[in-house]
Amino acid sequence: MSADYDLDRAYRIESPADARRVYDDWAATYDDSFAHDWGYVAPRRIADIFLAEGGPAGGPVLDIGAGTGLMAEALPGLMIDGIDISPEMLARAAAKGLYRTRIEADLTAALPLADAAYGGFVSCGTFTHGHVGADCLPELLRVAAPGALFCCGTRPAVYDAMGFGSALALATARGQITPPRFFEIDIYEGASHDHAADTGLVMLFRKTS
């Protein structure tokens, strides 16, 4: 396992500026030192669920926290835009030709996107320790078209600690989304590092109107 990537450092991120700095530093080696060396399969697992549930309800997909494009690689043939806070990570994705559009933006702020622009949303590795919490949900729902499918990964402890449970419950009660369903997935495969047994929680729901 390469020492070029430190997951515990990622989990200690405390601000959007910190996230931009950390991921800009890792961009050049991220695919090799983390995705490959750590056996990172979570993007493929989330993509499989997204496709099994019917994929986007028309229109493009937004990859939330796109990074170097690992999720887009698992969704060939779909029209996908990638949004991320790190310009260096997006530059790596651009070199692969994975996204229709790449958007550098802070997910904790207002998004530079039109209302009802997307028919599907995927995310892996963004709703996690020290990263983005449930406060971004209203903006994501704003840019979602009616019927848009959300298939987003988190961690069980993060789901509790960063407010996803109450945010999704309120959105359901208000008729904004369908009752969410959940899937447990392996994050890593064939790995022997300290996080090899970690599992993820995938949140699946649709915008109702």
Side-chain angles (χ1 to χ4, degrees), residues 93-170:
K96 301 176 185 178
L98 292 170
Y99 294 106
R100 179 187 69 165
T101 302
R102 295 167 307 283
I103 304 138
E104 182 186 338
D106 178 0
L107 287 160
T108 67
L111 300 179
L113 302 171
D115 293 354
Y118 292 96
F121 295 78
V122 291
S123 182
C124 185
T126 297
F127 301 137
T128 189
H129 300 284
H131 288 55
V132 180
D135 290 348
C136 69
L137 187 58
E139 270 294 276
L140 293 176
L141 288 174
R142 178 185 66 78
V143 304
L149 179 65
F150 285 76
C151 188
C152 302
T154 184
R155 295 288 309 283
V158 175
Y159 181 84
D160 292 330
M162 298 186 74
F164 285 102
S166 56
L168 293 179
L170 280 172

Side-chain angles (χ1 to χ4, degrees), residues 32-45:
D32 290 331
S33 67
F34 178 58
H36 178 269
D37 291 356
W38 285 56
Y40 186 51
V41 295
R44 295 205 310 269
R45 299 288 184 265

Side-chain angles (χ1 to χ4, degrees), residues 7-209:
L7 185 62
D8 294 322
R9 182 187 175 197
Y11 284 172
R12 291 192 299 270
I13 287 171
E14 295 182 349
S15 69
D18 195 18
R20 183 181 296 107
R21 180 172 56 253
V22 166
Y23 282 99
D24 278 352
D25 288 347
W26 279 332
T29 61
Y30 184 85
D31 285 1
D32 290 331
S33 67
F34 178 58
H36 178 269
D37 291 356
W38 285 56
Y40 186 51
V41 295
R44 295 205 310 269
R45 299 288 184 265
I46 294 171
D48 287 346
I49 294 170
F50 183 71
L51 294 175
E53 294 295 323
V61 176
L62 184 65
D63 183 359
I64 305 163
T68 62
L70 297 177
M71 180 68 75
E73 289 178 342
L75 293 168
L78 293 184
M79 184 186 297
I80 308 177
D81 291 349
I83 187 169
D84 201 280
I85 199 169
S86 165
E88 293 299 325
M89 296 290 267
L90 289 174
R92 292 287 162 174
K96 301 176 185 178
L98 292 170
Y99 294 106
R100 179 187 69 165
T101 302
R102 295 167 307 283
I103 304 138
E104 182 186 338
D106 178 0
L107 287 160
T108 67
L111 300 179
L113 302 171
D115 293 354
Y118 292 96
F121 295 78
V122 291
S123 182
C124 185
T126 297
F127 301 137
T128 189
H129 300 284
H131 288 55
V132 180
D135 290 348
C136 69
L137 187 58
E139 270 294 276
L140 293 176
L141 288 174
R142 178 185 66 78
V143 304
L149 179 65
F150 285 76
C151 188
C152 302
T154 184
R155 295 288 309 283
V158 175
Y159 181 84
D160 292 330
M162 298 186 74
F164 285 102
S166 56
L168 293 179
L170 280 172
T172 304
R174 293 167 178 167
Q176 296 172 309
I177 64 171
T178 59
R181 291 186 287 140
F182 302 94
F183 299 81
E184 186 177 23
I185 60 168
D186 294 329
I187 297 177
Y188 307 100
E189 181 178 79
S192 59
H193 51 74
D194 290 346
H195 292 274
D198 289 359
T199 60
L201 185 68
V202 179
M203 306 172 286
L204 188 83
F205 56 90
R206 289 187 182 273
K207 180 179 178 179
T208 55
S209 61

